[in-house]
Structure formats: structure tokens, C-alpha cells
């Protein structure tokens, strides 16, 4: 047989309990009503209340300081008997000095933190007629906290939903990124296979860099002398001439100028450079890439396919720009740019000013 009789946890206030000299907020009477309205809560433990406060109190009272939260947890841990949560006898008696020792703060900081907790309706400071909290029904009353456990549970549930939603969004983003990377890798492999097999892929708009029929002989002969992993010259047969980029490269890059003859430099800065002089630029860039930058051949092939002469310009920028300690990493990051041509145009102009002493 079950009984519906509830335990009355709120005895009549004793006459020796006073408000003390502590300052109270305008809502103090509402706080007392909140405390007196708590009659006990079954299946509550001190550990569970500490967990709730730790996770959710910032949602209910975002203005609480870190010390106030730590102090409230310390007060909760003074409830050693789990039955106190069922009976509603939740007054604890630690003094300010004891709390200061526990938290490593001063008495003044403790008084201020307790006042803050009371102003936010988490505790009630009860005093005797001698203005102490050490005897009788005086002390620190935690019934306001117990009366707001449902509010804390709701805040905890809200946080859990928010965290789960963020986790799902992150997982969806990772899945989308993985699909994009797989699709990109498949496309890259297809492009490389098409190029290596000598076939043509109608889905990839290959550019043609048409010079004289024998223009690739010099490059192929030097490529045969390169070490394994350095055969990275695919520029001659894959890209068409970008006159503006070539002109900026010749004007701005000391490394490129050192690889070209005076006659070639003179012709390249003219209105209509010959195919042989442009071939010399491509060959010089290949030499710079082989001797100054360690880049995987497959990466370079894809870069040329995607960016054309902008990829060659990125090489001289990476090598000649001041402050670049790792040209390979710098070049690799540049080659990821969606609009590399605009990037290298700006970089080449900056490089030209750098060499002129205006940077």
C-alpha cells in the first residue's frame, strides 16, 4: 500500500533567524518564497546536482562569475546526506574563512560571490540575531537551488540538443568534403591518365601551346638528363601563350632574367616576341623548378593543365619573392588558388616593385 503523504520540509521560521546586516536585493521576498516552496525532490544526489550546475548554470545565469559557480559547487558538496534532498533540509554552515581557504580567495571575495549567488536566486544567506551563520536555522540555505533543478535540467537538455546538432552539421560537412575530394581526385587521375596515354578527353578543355614543330626537342633532351621525379615539363604542348603574364615574368623575375640571353630579353620585352624566345622562357622556368623547388611531377602537371602560364609565373614568384623560406610549400599553396592568374599578376607587379626598392 502506497502513501501519498508528503514530508513537510519547511518548519516555521525561528524567531532567532534574522536577515542580518547583509544587503538584499529587491526580489528578496520572492527568493524566500522560492525557498519555502521547495518540499523535497526524490532521486536526487549531491553528485548529480554538482553535474547539473557545472554543465547548465551558465545557461540559466550567464552573469555569474567563475568564483560564484565554484563557490556554489563547494556549498553543494557540503550536503553529505543524500536524504537531505528528499527532506528539503538543505542548510549548510561553512564560514567565509573556510570557503576562502577552499577557493584560494579572500573573505571579501567570498562575501561578494555569496551576495551574487543570492541576487541570482541560487541561495539564501540566513543569519542569527547576532549576525552570524553558525548556529540554529542560520547558515546558507540551498533550497532555492533545489527548487530550480528542473530549470537546470531543461538547460542541460537544450545544450545537449545544441551539441548534437553541431556534431551532425560537422559530420555532414566532413561527408560533403570527402565526396568533393573523391570526385576531384577521380577527375585528376583521369586527366593525368589521358595525358600520359596521349589520348584526348573532351570534358577537359586542353590548351595548345603551338610553337614551331621542333620546339619541344630542347625540353625533351634536358628532361632525359633529369633525375627520376624531376621530369616535370609539360608546358610546351599543353598551354598557349599568355603574352601579358610572360611580359610580367620577364620584367619582374631576376631568376628568370639570369637564365635568358640579352637578345632574348630584348625580344621578349618587345611588341611581338618570337616563338623561340617564348620557348626559352618555358625552358628557363623548367630549370628554375628543377633546381630550386621540390614539387611532385603529378602536382605540376595538374597545375599546368589548370592554370596554364599562371602556373609558370607562380614558380618565379615563389623563388624570387622576399621572405619565402620554403618555395615548394609557397608554390603549392599558390597553385590551389581558384583564380591563380589574378594572383600572379598582382604578385609579379609587387615583385617588380620589390626589386626597384619600392616594396
Amino acid at each position: 500500500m502506497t502513501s501519498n503523504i508528503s514530508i513537510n520540509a519547511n518548519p516555521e521560521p525561528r524567531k532567532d533567524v534574522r536577515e542580518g546586516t547583509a544587503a538584499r536585493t529587491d526580489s528578496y521576498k520572492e527568493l524566500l518564497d522560492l525557498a519555502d516552496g521547495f518540499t523535497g525532490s526524490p532521486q536526487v544526489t549531491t553528485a548529480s546536482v554538482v553535474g547539473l550546475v557545472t554543465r547548465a548554470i551558465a545557461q540559466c545565469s550567464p552573469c555569474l562569475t567563475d568564483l560564484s559557480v565554484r563557490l556554489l559547487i563547494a556549498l553543494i558538496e557540503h550536503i553529505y546526506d543524500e536524504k537531505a534532498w528528499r527532506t528539503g533540509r538543505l542548510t549548510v554552515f561553512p564560514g567565509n574563512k573556510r570557503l576562502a581557504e577552499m577557493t584560494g580567495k579572500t573573505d571579501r571575495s567570498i562575501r561578494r560571490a555569496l551576495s551574487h549567488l543570492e541576487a541570482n536566486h541560487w541561495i539564501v544567506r540566513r543569519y542569527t540575531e547576532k549576525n552570524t551563520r553558525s548556529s540554529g536555522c542560520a547558515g546558507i540555505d540551498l533550497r532555492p537551488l533545489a527548487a530550480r533543478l528542473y530549470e537546470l535540467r531543461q538547460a542541460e537538455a537544450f545544450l545537449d540538443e545544441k551539441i548534437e546538432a553541431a556534431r551532425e552539421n560537422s559530420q555532414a560537412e566532413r561527408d560533403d568534403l570527402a565526396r568533393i575530394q573523391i570526385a576531384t581526385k577521380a577527375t585528376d587521375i583521369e586527366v593525368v591518365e589521358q595525358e600520359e596515354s596521349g589520348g584526348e578527353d573532351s570534358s577537359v578543355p586542353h590548351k595548345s601551346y603551338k610553337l614551331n614543330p621542333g620546339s619541344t626537342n630542347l625540353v625533351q633532351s634536358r628532361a632525359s638528363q633529369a633525375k627520376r621525379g624531376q621530369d616535370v615539363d609539360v608546358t610546351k604542348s599543353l598551354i598557349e601563350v599568355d603574352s601579358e603574364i610572360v611580359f610580367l615574368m620577364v620584367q619582374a623575375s631576376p631568376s628568370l632574367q639570369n637564365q635568358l640571353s640579352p637578345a632574348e630579353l630584348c625580344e621578349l620585352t618587345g611588341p611581338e616576341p618570337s616563338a623561340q624566345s617564348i620557348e626559352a622562357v618555358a625552358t628557363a622556368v623548367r630549370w628554375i623548378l628543377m633546381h630550386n623547388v621540390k614539387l611532385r611531377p603529378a602536382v605540376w602537371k595538374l597545375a599546368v593543365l589548370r592554370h596554364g602560364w599562371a602556373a609558370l609565373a607562380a614558380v618565379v614568384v615563389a623563388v624570387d619573392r622576399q621572405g619565402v623560406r620554403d618555395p615548394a610549400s609557397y608554390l603549392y599553396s599558390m597553385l590551389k588558388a581558384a583564380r591563380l592568374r589574378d594572383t600572379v599578376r598582382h604578385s609579379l607587379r609587387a615583385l617588380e616593385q620589390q626589386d626597384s626598392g619600392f616594396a
Side-chain angles (χ1 to χ4, degrees), residues 22 60-61 66 78 87 94-95 122 133 136 141 151 172 207 224 231 237 256 264 284 291-292 324 341 348 356:
C60 300
S61 295
D66 179 65
H78 277 77
T87 61
W122 294 106
R133 301 195 312 258
D141 189 352
E151 183 181 348
K207 297 180 179 180
S224 63
D231 186 11
S237 58
L256 184 58
E264 290 169 339
H291 290 81
N292 295 279
V324 177
R341 188 177 188 278
L348 288 170
S356 301

Side-chain angles (χ1 to χ4, degrees), residues 26-181:
D26 295 337
S27 59
Y28 180 67
K29 291 183 179 180
E30 297 175 6
L31 174 62
L32 293 179
D33 292 339
L34 178 65
D36 294 338
F38 179 73
T39 58
S41 179
Q43 299 179 349
V44 175
T45 63
T46 298
S48 66
V49 176
V50 169
L52 273 175
V53 169
T54 302
R55 292 190 295 271
I57 197 169
Q59 293 292 318
C60 300
S61 295
C63 61
L64 285 181
T65 63
D66 179 65
L67 175 59
S68 297
V69 176
R70 289 168 52 199
L71 192 59
L72 181 59
I73 292 173
L75 294 173
I76 296 169
E77 290 174 341
H78 277 77
I79 301 176
Y80 306 110
D81 188 358
E82 304 293 350
K83 295 180 181 179
W85 298 101
R86 298 194 292 273
T87 61
R89 300 183 182 278
L90 297 173
T91 302
V92 295
F93 306 94
N96 289 349
K97 183 176 181 181
R98 168 63 178 162
L99 293 173
E101 292 174 352
M102 292 176 64
T103 58
K105 300 295 182 179
T106 62
D107 289 358
R108 183 177 180 181
S109 298
I110 296 300
R111 289 194 299 270
R112 186 164 52 246
L114 289 174
S115 176
H116 203 187
L117 286 171
E118 185 179 85
N120 285 271
H121 289 198
W122 294 106
I123 65 171
V124 179
R125 295 169 295 170
R126 300 189 181 275
Y127 296 89
T128 65
E129 58 185 3
K130 295 182 179 180
N131 200 43
T132 64
R133 301 195 312 258
S134 58
S135 62
C137 289
I140 298 177
D141 189 352
L142 296 178
R143 286 183 298 165
L145 165 67
R148 298 179 66 180
L149 289 179
Y150 177 77
E151 183 181 348
L152 287 170
R153 292 190 185 101
Q154 291 292 102
E156 183 184 35
F158 171 77
L159 280 176
D160 290 341
E161 292 176 0
K162 191 174 180 179
I163 292 171
E164 182 62 26
R167 185 181 295 114
E168 291 177 356
N169 289 337
S170 298
Q171 184 61 44
E173 291 177 358
R174 287 194 293 270
D175 293 342
D176 291 342
L177 180 60
R179 284 193 292 270
I180 293 173
Q181 290 176 341

Side-chain angles (χ1 to χ4, degrees), residues 293-313:
V293 183
K294 296 179 181 179
L295 194 68
R296 289 183 300 167
V299 174
W300 177 243
K301 288 182 180 181
L302 290 175
V304 173
L305 286 171
R306 290 175 179 173
H307 303 295
W309 271 90
L312 280 72

